[in-house]
Amino acid sequence: EYGGIATLQSYGDTLDLDAVPPEHIAFLETCRDYYETKTHIFVHASYFPNLRMDEQPSFVIRWESLHGGVPGPHHSGKTVVVGHSSQRQGKVFDLGYLKCIDTYCYGGGWLTALDVTTGQVWQTSAHGDLRG
């Protein structure tokens, strides 16, 4: 449902987790649920604005879509950069305090990169078309 089957199949025509090299699993086990700088917070999906990041439920920061409701500004005052809520029109969803850079790449839209220090956006399509 969330891409797991396609991921397993990318290791061969199998649904066997043993097909995934141990070093790939080891890498995934080192990944963080969020990353925080002095000015920004980066999460996959969403957040509760009134909770510190180390108090956030994993489900919210990994899977909660903005389509079910957009959170307010995080109490830290930091800008939060998220994905997981596709913006099918291909533009970054920007509320100032929250920026969603999921521009529907997996569905034929754009892959987006954002320089958070300047606000510069770069995008590419699956066909190599560039815009930014």
Side-chain angles (χ1 to χ4, degrees):
E1 184 177 344
Y2 296 111
I5 290 172
T7 300
L8 283 175
Q9 289 174 333
S10 75
Y11 289 96
D13 194 18
T14 181
L15 296 181
D16 186 357
L17 191 56
D18 291 333
V20 180
E23 60 270 19
H24 291 197
I25 292 174
F27 167 77
L28 292 171
E29 288 173 341
T30 67
C31 292
R32 303 175 184 179
D33 284 339
Y34 66 92
Y35 184 75
E36 194 167 357
T37 68
K38 291 181 181 180
T39 57
H40 289 78
I41 298 168
F42 303 87
V43 298
H44 177 71
S46 192
Y47 61 95
F48 285 138
N50 57 334
L51 294 179
R52 291 188 337 237
M53 292 311 297
D54 62 357
E55 297 173 330
Q56 298 285 333
S58 289
F59 179 83
V60 171
I61 58 180
R62 291 181 182 183
W63 301 113
E64 191 73 28
S65 172
L66 298 180
H67 300 305
V70 176
H74 191 261
H75 75 89
S76 67
K78 297 177 181 184
T79 300
V80 183
V81 180
V82 305
H84 191 64
S85 297
S86 59
Q87 307 303 304
R88 292 181 181 226
Q89 78 285 2
K91 302 218 185 294
V92 172
F93 178 62
D94 187 349
L95 295 176
Y97 68 89
L98 173 117
K99 297 176 188 293
C100 179
I101 62 170
D102 178 344
T103 48
Y104 199 48
C105 177
Y106 71 93
W110 296 88
L111 175 63
T112 297
L114 168 68
D115 181 335
V116 297
T117 59
T118 66
Q120 175 72 38
V121 172
W122 296 271
Q123 294 182 305
T124 185
S125 72
H127 306 291
D129 301 317
L130 301 175
R131 69 180 190 181

